Amino acid sequence: MIDILIADDDRTIASLLADNLADEGFRCTIVSNGLEAADAARTNSFDLIVLDIMMPESSGIDALKQIRECCVCPILFLTAKSRTIDMLLGLELGADDYICKPFVVEEVVGKIKAHIRRDRRERTAETIRFGDVEVNREAYEATKKGMRVALTSREFQLLSYFLNQRGKVLTREQIFDDVWGLDYTDIGSVTVTVKNLRDKIDPQNEYIKTVWGVGYKFVGTI
């Protein structure tokens, strides 16, 4: 059973989304604020989390910071179209994608299913090492100098993609199509996620090289 956490203080929206996901065979838990969302993520195992940004008691941004301390599953933000700054901050802090309100529920369900498929596809039984970094795809985790690195689902997917395509020059468009998928629209997410990934595993830019005017290339011996 696939478990999804929906955090939104608008019960109508949360219930509508949960009902449609239930029709797809997913089990949904609904909470109404960021504090409840963080508590639920700490005490349960979810395959995906949907977080509204504007919630009482604790915002989706605050909840995201706490959730990322214990959870690597995909996290999608719900945001008003006018809240671009919040959306960018969410991506910086570890959100994998965002959904603008108002939304078409069928499109949101399709996006959620795509994230879960991609997330599970990355979980292959393989361990890869480069430098002082070890990537365990089966455990869906990475370590650096023996210490676990808190990668988001999207960051882990991007790292796996770079490893699979090592030595090749990859355009931002190519990365976006292959990792995010054609149903997403914000190609700027590539730049944000590459920056976050570098900060966590490659701060000296030894492995993830920028090819100016083209894109990126992963180099190094595996």
Side-chain angles (χ1 to χ4, degrees):
M1 177 71 73
I2 294 174
D3 289 287
I4 296 178
L5 174 64
I6 301 173
D8 196 322
D9 60 318
D10 188 327
R11 190 74 185 190
T12 301
I13 290 177
S15 296
L16 176 64
L17 184 54
D19 288 345
N20 279 267
L21 288 169
D23 290 341
E24 298 291 334
F26 298 166
R27 181 168 52 197
C28 297
T29 299
I30 298 175
V31 296
S32 59
N33 62 63
L35 290 176
E36 293 177 351
D39 287 342
R42 278 192 291 265
T43 56
N44 299 275
S45 178
F46 293 104
D47 297 282
L48 183 141
I49 297 173
V50 179
L51 280 178
D52 185 29
I53 288 182
M54 302 301 293
M55 291 187 292
E57 297 188 48
S58 178
S59 70
I61 294 288
D62 292 334
L64 175 63
K65 295 176 184 177
Q66 299 177 59
I67 291 171
R68 276 302 179 220
E69 294 178 358
C70 63
C71 183
V72 297
C73 74
I75 296 179
L76 279 60
F77 261 159
L78 287 176
T79 177
K81 288 186 177 179
S82 60
R83 305 293 296 184
T84 304
I85 294 177
D86 285 339
M87 179 270 292
L88 292 175
L89 178 58
L91 293 175
E92 287 276 2
L93 292 174
D96 296 282
D97 203 353
Y98 65 94
I99 301 162
C100 288
K101 295 181 179 180
F103 55 76
V104 177
V105 68
E106 291 81 7
E107 293 180 359
V108 175
V109 171
K111 179 171 285 195
I112 287 172
K113 291 168 69 176
H115 271 283
I116 290 173
R117 284 196 304 270
R118 188 170 291 111
D119 184 60
R120 293 194 163 186
R121 193 163 57 237
E122 293 297 330
R123 297 176 183 267
T124 58
E126 182 180 2
T127 298
I128 296 176
R129 297 176 181 84
F130 60 93
D132 54 10
V133 177
E134 181 174 300
V135 181
N136 188 321
R137 287 176 168 171
E138 184 175 31
Y140 214 67
E141 66 179 23
T143 59
K144 183 177 175 67
K145 296 181 179 178
M147 302 295 292
R148 184 175 180 275
V149 181
L151 296 181
T152 69
S153 173
R154 181 68 76 199
E155 289 162 2
F156 192 91
Q157 291 165 2
L158 179 60
L159 176 57
S160 293
Y161 180 72
F162 276 139
L163 293 172
N164 289 339
Q165 303 294 327
R166 56 189 178 275
K168 298 179 182 178
V169 177
L170 306 165
T171 67
R172 288 203 312 156
E173 291 77 11
Q174 183 179 355
I175 295 169
F176 188 68
D177 288 347
D178 291 345
V179 179
W180 274 256
L182 297 176
D183 50 338
Y184 304 105
T185 58
D186 186 8
I187 195 170
S189 301
V190 173
T191 303
V192 172
T193 308
V194 168
K195 175 185 178 299
N196 291 344
L197 184 60
R198 277 174 165 164
D199 289 345
K200 293 179 179 181
I201 69 162
D202 188 25
Q204 303 302 318
N205 295 348
E206 295 180 66
Y207 301 102
I208 304 173
K209 299 291 186 180
T210 297
V211 181
W212 296 108
V214 182
Y216 304 97
K217 178 172 69 171
F218 184 91
V219 300
T221 302
I222 294 177

